[in-house]
Amino acid sequence: MTLWGADLPVVVLILAALYCAARAWIASFGHGRAMREMATWLERHRAEAWADLPWAARRLLPQGGVQAMKRRGLADDPHFRTLDARAKRLNRQFVLWIFASLAAIGLVFAGT
């Protein structure tokens, strides 16, 4: 049985890969939002230490600034830990969706 000029399993796997890639994209946006919220929290509650970081760590790559503050032990707050747990969860989801998408594409290549 063919659908859109290809065998049905190929079409299903490609659609599954597209779905997984879209979910990974959504998770990456959520992770970025969580990282920005963490940077904003640090900027408000640890303003002096945040201002001591290089400009690039504060504005261009806030993930690096957040990690630097965590290494210094300046991010030990229940609300911050909640934001950090959310960011880690979204990053894990991103990785899992990417692997699922790659697995679906790999099955298409293995079947041809």
Side-chain angles (χ1 to χ4, degrees):
M1 179 174 183
T2 61
L3 183 65
W4 296 319
D7 289 334
L8 185 62
V10 171
V11 172
V12 169
L13 285 171
I14 289 174
L15 290 176
L18 287 173
Y19 174 77
C20 292
R23 292 295 305 251
W25 188 50
I26 291 168
S28 75
F29 277 122
H31 179 258
R33 187 179 320 114
M35 291 302 292
R36 284 190 303 276
E37 288 174 8
M38 289 167 51
T40 302
W41 187 92
L42 287 169
E43 189 174 12
R44 288 183 185 151
H45 294 89
R46 306 286 190 262
E48 186 176 312
W50 184 256
D52 289 342
L53 292 173
W55 178 84
R58 288 181 284 135
R59 296 291 171 217
L60 294 179
L61 297 169
Q63 299 92 336
V66 169
Q67 293 301 323
M69 297 290 278
K70 284 171 45 177
R71 279 192 303 272
R72 294 180 189 172
L74 298 172
D76 191 32
D77 182 79
H79 182 67
F80 183 84
R81 278 187 256 136
T82 303
L83 290 172
D84 190 35
R86 181 173 158 239
K88 286 179 182 178
R89 179 181 49 83
L90 287 167
N91 192 40
R92 280 191 305 269
Q93 285 180 3
F94 168 74
V95 170
L96 288 174
W97 284 116
I98 287 292
F99 280 143
S101 179
L102 290 173
I105 293 296
L107 287 172
V108 169
F109 285 127
T112 56

